C-alpha cells in the first residue's frame, strides 16, 4: 500500500510499504477513506518529538471501512462497517480505561518506560506519533491496523 512516511526532519514522502496484517485477536484492519493532517504532525515534521524513525507512517486521526477483523473482536463490529479511529490506542480493560482515562491506557504503549523518561508519565500508544507512543503505523495511508478495535474510546 501507499503511506505518508516520515523520512527525516522536514522531509516526508508517500512510499510503498507492506500492507498491515492482523497481529492480535482484537485487531481490525481498516481501509482508510479520510485522514487528517494535524497541527501536531508539525511537531513530528519539524523534529521536536524524539524517537521517530525513517519510514514511520504518519497520521493519528482517520476514518474508514473495516476490511478484516481478529477472531476476538467483540461488540458487533462487522466487515464493511464505517468507523472513526481516535488517536489513543486503549485496551478498555486496565484501571485507567475502566475510569474512562483512555489516553493513559496502561497496556497499549510497549515503550512506556521510554516515554516516562522523556515526560515523567507515559501516555497510551498513539497512532503515527513516534516510538515514544508505541511506534504504531498511522492513518495517512491506504490501510491501518487498529489494535483493541472494540474498546476504542
Ligand atoms: Zn492531532
Ligand atoms: Zn487500557
Amino acid at each position: 500500500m501507499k503511506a505518508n512516511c516520515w523520512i527525516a526532519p522536514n522531509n516526508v514522502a508517500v512510499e510503498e510499504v507492506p500492507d498491515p496484517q492482523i497481529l492480535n485477536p482484537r485487531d481490525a484492519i481498516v481501509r482508510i477513506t479520510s485522514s487528517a493532517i494535524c497541527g501536531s504532525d508539525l511537531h513530528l515534521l519539524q523534529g521536536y518529538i524524539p524517537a521517530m524513525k525513517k519510514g514511520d507512517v504518519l497520521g493519528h486521526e482517520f476514518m474508514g471501512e473495516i476490511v478484516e477483523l481478529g477472531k476476538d473482536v467483540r461488540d458487533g463490529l462487522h466487515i464493511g462497517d464505517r468507523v472513526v479511529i481516535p488517536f489513543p490506542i486503549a485496551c478498555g480493560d486496565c484501571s485507567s480505561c475502566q475510569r474512562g482515562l483512555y489516553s493513559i491506557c496502561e497496556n497499549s504503549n510497549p515503550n512506556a518506560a521510554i516515554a516516562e523518561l522523556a515526560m515523567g508519565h507515559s501516555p497510551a500508544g498513539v497512532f503515527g506519533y513516534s516510538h515514544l507512543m508505541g511506534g504504531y503505523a498511522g492513518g495517512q495511508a491506504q490501510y491501518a491496523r487498529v489494535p483493541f478495535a472494540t474498546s476504542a474510546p
Side-chain angles (χ1 to χ4, degrees):
M1 68 167 182
K2 291 196 184 316
N4 187 33
C5 297
W6 189 93
I7 306 299
N10 297 310
N11 184 359
V12 298
V14 175
E15 299 202 325
E16 193 68 32
V17 302
D19 288 350
Q21 298 185 332
I22 299 282
L23 299 180
N24 295 304
R26 290 172 64 191
D27 289 350
I29 304 294
V30 172
R31 181 183 68 81
I32 295 161
T33 55
S34 301
S35 185
I37 299 171
C38 179
S40 51
D41 284 327
L42 294 175
H43 305 313
L44 305 173
L45 178 70
Q46 295 168 340
Y48 295 121
I49 302 288
M52 289 297 288
K53 295 182 182 172
K54 184 174 189 281
D56 283 349
V57 178
L58 295 167
H60 55 274
E61 291 140 359
F62 51 100
M63 57 193 289
E65 174 190 357
I66 295 173
V67 294
E68 192 175 352
L69 287 171
K71 68 179 178 57
D72 291 344
V73 173
R74 311 174 294 224
D75 302 337
L77 284 181
H78 301 98
I79 305 293
D81 285 353
R82 301 287 303 271
V83 289
V84 175
I85 316 298
F87 68 88
I89 300 169
C91 76
D93 297 323
C94 72
S95 160
S96 295
C97 285
Q98 288 293 309
R99 288 179 287 148
L101 304 172
Y102 300 110
S103 63
I104 55 170
C105 172
E106 296 152 34
N107 289 322
S108 63
N109 187 353
N111 299 328
I114 303 170
E116 283 173 15
L117 279 177
M119 299 182 283
H121 189 87
S122 176
V126 176
F127 291 100
Y129 217 82
S130 88
H131 292 263
L132 278 187
M133 316 310 180
Y136 292 94
Q140 292 170 10
Q142 291 182 295
Y143 295 89
R145 178 177 76 94
V146 178
F148 303 117
T150 53
S151 63

